[in-house]
Amino acid sequence: MKTFSSLAAALLVANCLATDLLTPEKIEAGIKTEELEHNLRNLNEIGKANGGNRAFGLPGYKASSDYVVERAQNRFAPEYDSWVQYFNHTFEQTREITLTGPDGEDVDVFTLLYNNATPLPGGTTGVLVDTPVDDERGSLCFEDQWEGVDPSGKILLIKRGVCAIADKLRIAKARGALAVVLYNQTPGMPSSATLSAINIGQIAPVGLVTLDVGEAWKARLEAGEELTVTLLVDSLFEERESWNIFAETKEGDPNNVVMLGAHLDSVQAGPGINDDGSGTSALLEIMTSLRTYHGFPNKVRFAWWGAEESGLIGSLYYTSHLSEEEADKIRFYFNYDMIGSPYPVYAVYKGDNRGDAAGAAPLLDYLTAAGYPAYYGSFGTGSDYVGFLNLGIPSSGLFTGAGGPTDPCYHLGCDTIDNISWEALTVNAKAAGVVAAQMALSLEAVPPRSKTSVNPRNKHRIRAEFEKWQVAVEEAETGHTCAHKSKNTV
Ligand SMILES: *[C@@H]1O[C@H](CO)[C@@H](O)[C@H](O)[C@H]1NC(C)=O
Ligand SMILES: CC(=O)N[C@H]1CO[C@H](CO)[C@@H](O)[C@@H]1O
Ligand SMILES: [Zn+2]
């Protein structure tokens, strides 16, 4: 039989349970489509008001950051500690790009991030050279594919796809090509990609054209015509500051942290509402829901990454500057990048780390139970999980697909509020919130970070790359290559 005081204590606990204590179900119920949409409408407006994008080094990123900071740092200050981590990176903007075709016509031409300039003001004029197509390995990324191609003093017509564009352009420059006309491997509007700051000064200038244009010119060259084209690229390069934003629950053990990340920047080509407004909005709503509840032993840390589209710069800066002790405290990392594609798939990341399953399985179970065809997909090199995988931190995340049938607006101006699956965004945000809450309550299923011998080397390599990036502009003439593979280089 209970004494009076223990009965009172039990009542207090019961009262707490009824109102305050964290459960995954409360987080699930707290995440609402209207609020997810409200954030995306605001990010869409921010894009519109800032030249159509929210990209690294441009005002749309600052405005996006203000939007997150208003909640993370100001309104939610009672429940969250927050901070900003600054870093510098080389910014590129193509100020002008034009392509004059063989009949003197203006051709629609697209640029790529970190495109190198042609001579100015006239651009570069040359005879167009047809090159062999290899749709299996990708065209002209490997020296053996260049046999019989004479690029010196000419402009090369090369097909896009499969292998890194920068590899084609590096060999082209080394072999004396003036420039490259790259034609898209699929019909329709070509999407943007990054050539990476590390390649400044190492690669031939490039103009990207549609598959139609490329195939028409190829046919004329094969028929023996001589075609002369002029490419003009005017690129601005300069060091610009950017930053990551963090918020973590005041509640919970600082030695046991569950981390959720989404990138806050977009490409320059569009406002990035699916990529990655979707993950950004999900994190904001999970943070909003979570702040009402107490009684969880582990901390939850949210990260909004900067300069992801330039090559995962913000997240690599963060992970490569963590001490061993700080890295040990991050028990799990969840990546949410593109979780509202208009024609979604339901991929759940699971990699080689035996700890990954502790986050991947409950995400998969949640989506499956909700009636969605979720499946395990392996990590690639395309998003902010890379730095965490390198540290051996157990990781997972969700992804609804990029390009092709899943998101035709990937890296284009039409990645707007009009091309989102609200259903996918909602169920994925709920899945993310439920699993974050489960881990806030218990990390028993999560093994410690795996410290294989390769990890420190990766970390040093990435730190070394930051040093190289910082001097990339000055060192433009002195030719080092780099195996760093990042997002959207193909
Ligand atoms: C970025 O560069 C600016 C200008 O050189 C400098 O003042 C600032 O301290 C740098 N920031 C970081 C985080 O290194
Ligand atoms: C690929 C796709 O679905 N694009 C759509 C994006 O939104 C605009 C505006 O509603 C539509 O016109 C596009 O068809
Ligand atoms: Zn993205």
Side-chain angles (χ1 to χ4, degrees):
M1 191 170 161
K2 287 180 173 13
T3 64
F4 176 76
S5 64
S6 71
L7 184 62
L11 279 172
L12 270 177
V13 168
N15 194 39
C16 256
L17 274 172
T19 58
D20 259 343
L21 287 188
L22 176 66
T23 68
E25 293 72 24
K26 290 177 191 169
I27 299 298
E28 181 183 22
I31 292 169
K32 305 236 162 56
T33 308
E34 307 85 84
E35 296 303 321
L36 291 164
E37 183 173 344
H38 175 79
N39 295 327
L40 289 188
R41 291 206 174 276
N42 281 310
L43 294 174
N44 198 63
E45 288 307 307
I46 285 170
K48 269 193 201 163
N50 290 282
N53 69 68
R54 305 184 298 104
F56 159 59
L58 292 169
Y61 185 73
K62 171 69 166 71
S64 303
S65 163
D66 290 345
Y67 186 75
V68 170
V69 162
E70 182 276 325
R71 231 181 270 199
Q73 273 188 331
N74 303 353
R75 195 154 28 115
F76 293 0
E79 296 91 10
Y80 290 90
D81 293 318
S82 63
W83 65 98
V84 170
Q85 179 183 41
Y86 291 93
F87 57 87
N88 284 330
H89 190 61
T90 310
F91 169 83
E92 186 272 340
Q93 194 166 32
T94 305
R95 286 185 285 211
E96 190 184 359
I97 182 164
T98 62
L99 178 62
T100 309
D103 306 311
E105 76 281 22
D106 263 346
V107 178
D108 281 340
V109 62
F110 307 90
T111 193
L112 297 167
L113 195 58
Y114 299 103
N115 202 354
N116 287 15
T118 59
L120 295 167
T124 188
T125 300
V127 169
L128 195 63
V129 176
D130 187 26
T131 65
V133 168
D134 182 342
D135 284 332
E136 262 170 44
R137 295 161 76 204
S139 305
L140 298 192
C141 283
F142 307 95
E143 292 285 352
D144 64 275
Q145 297 170 319
W146 285 76
E147 260 170 54
V149 178
D150 173 21
S152 186
K154 307 208 172 73
I155 297 181
L156 302 178
L157 183 65
I158 303 181
K159 190 173 183 185
R160 183 179 185 179
V162 187
C163 60
I165 298 167
D167 290 346
K168 307 171 197 271
L169 303 181
R170 193 181 306 108
I171 303 175
K173 182 177 170 90
R175 290 176 173 247
L178 297 175
V180 168
V181 172
L182 184 73
Y183 62 101
N184 213 36
Q185 75 279 38
T186 54
M189 177 96 161
S191 67
S192 175
T194 181
L195 302 171
S196 288
I198 192 73
N199 290 311
I200 295 168
Q202 323 277 317
I203 56 178
V206 59
L208 176 61
V209 298
T210 61
L211 180 62
D212 281 356
V213 168
E215 285 185 339
W217 288 357
K218 189 173 175 62
R220 287 172 68 178
L221 292 171
E222 278 170 356
E225 268 191 77
E226 182 171 295
L227 307 180
T228 300
V229 301
T230 300
L231 178 71
L232 182 154
V233 179
D234 180 6
S235 290
L236 164 81
F237 291 105
E238 65 185 36
E239 202 75 356
R240 290 202 182 170
E241 196 167 58
S242 196
W243 57 92
N244 302 316
I245 304 167
F246 301 89
E248 70 177 19
T249 55
K250 289 194 196 288
E251 183 146 343
D253 177 0
N255 296 318
N256 286 293
V257 178
V258 181
M259 202 166 165
L260 283 65
H263 68 87
L264 186 56
D265 64 312
S266 73
V267 291
Q268 291 183 10
I273 296 307
N274 186 34
D275 184 14
D276 185 25
S278 59
T280 291
S281 181
L283 263 56
L284 285 169
E285 290 314 306
I286 296 167
M287 176 173 73
T288 303
S289 179
L290 189 62
R291 78 173 176 140
T292 320
Y293 306 111
H294 300 284
F296 46 96
N298 307 312
K299 269 196 197 298
V300 181
R301 179 180 302 162
F302 299 93
W304 289 270
W305 306 118
E308 191 265 3
E309 299 289 4
S310 299
L312 318 179
I313 307 305
S315 60
L316 289 176
Y317 188 84
Y318 175 73
T319 49
S320 66
H321 286 80
L322 286 172
S323 68
E324 290 297 305
E325 294 70 29
E326 289 165 324
D328 288 343
K329 295 173 186 175
I330 301 172
R331 299 291 309 282
F332 206 96
Y333 175 70
F334 290 100
N335 197 68
Y336 296 114
D337 183 5
M338 304 186 73
I339 60 169
S341 304
Y343 309 101
V345 293
Y346 291 87
V348 177
Y349 288 120
K350 186 157 87 94
D352 301 334
N353 189 326
R354 73 187 175 90
D356 294 351
L363 283 172
L364 188 95
D365 291 348
Y366 182 90
L367 292 172
T368 306
Y372 294 88
Y375 61 94
Y376 287 130
S378 50
F379 291 103
T381 56
S383 190
D384 296 304
Y385 46 72
V386 167
F388 293 87
L389 301 184
N390 285 345
L391 289 171
I393 294 171
S395 302
S396 183
L398 298 171
F399 176 56
T400 50
T406 55
D407 183 1
C409 290
Y410 176 58
H411 286 182
L412 295 176
C414 65
D415 181 5
T416 66
I417 196 80
D418 296 319
N419 291 298
I420 287 281
S421 163
W422 299 108
E423 186 184 349
L425 176 59
T426 304
V427 74
N428 281 330
K430 283 179 184 280
V434 162
V435 177
Q438 288 170 353
M439 283 204 184
L441 291 165
S442 171
L443 283 163
E444 252 169 51
V446 184
R449 182 162 78 93
S450 89
K451 298 181 193 181
T452 64
S453 60
V454 68
N455 292 330
R457 281 212 302 277
N458 274 334
K459 182 169 158 178
H460 290 138
R461 181 176 59 75
I462 291 167
R463 282 185 81 140
E465 277 182 18
F466 270 97
E467 281 150 32
K468 284 197 248 170
W469 279 326
Q470 280 166 10
V471 293
V473 179
E474 293 83 348
E475 280 193 355
E477 302 314 311
T478 60
H480 43 230
T481 60
C482 166
H484 176 71
K485 280 226 190 83
S486 66
K487 141 166 230 162
N488 317 315
T489 58
V490 172

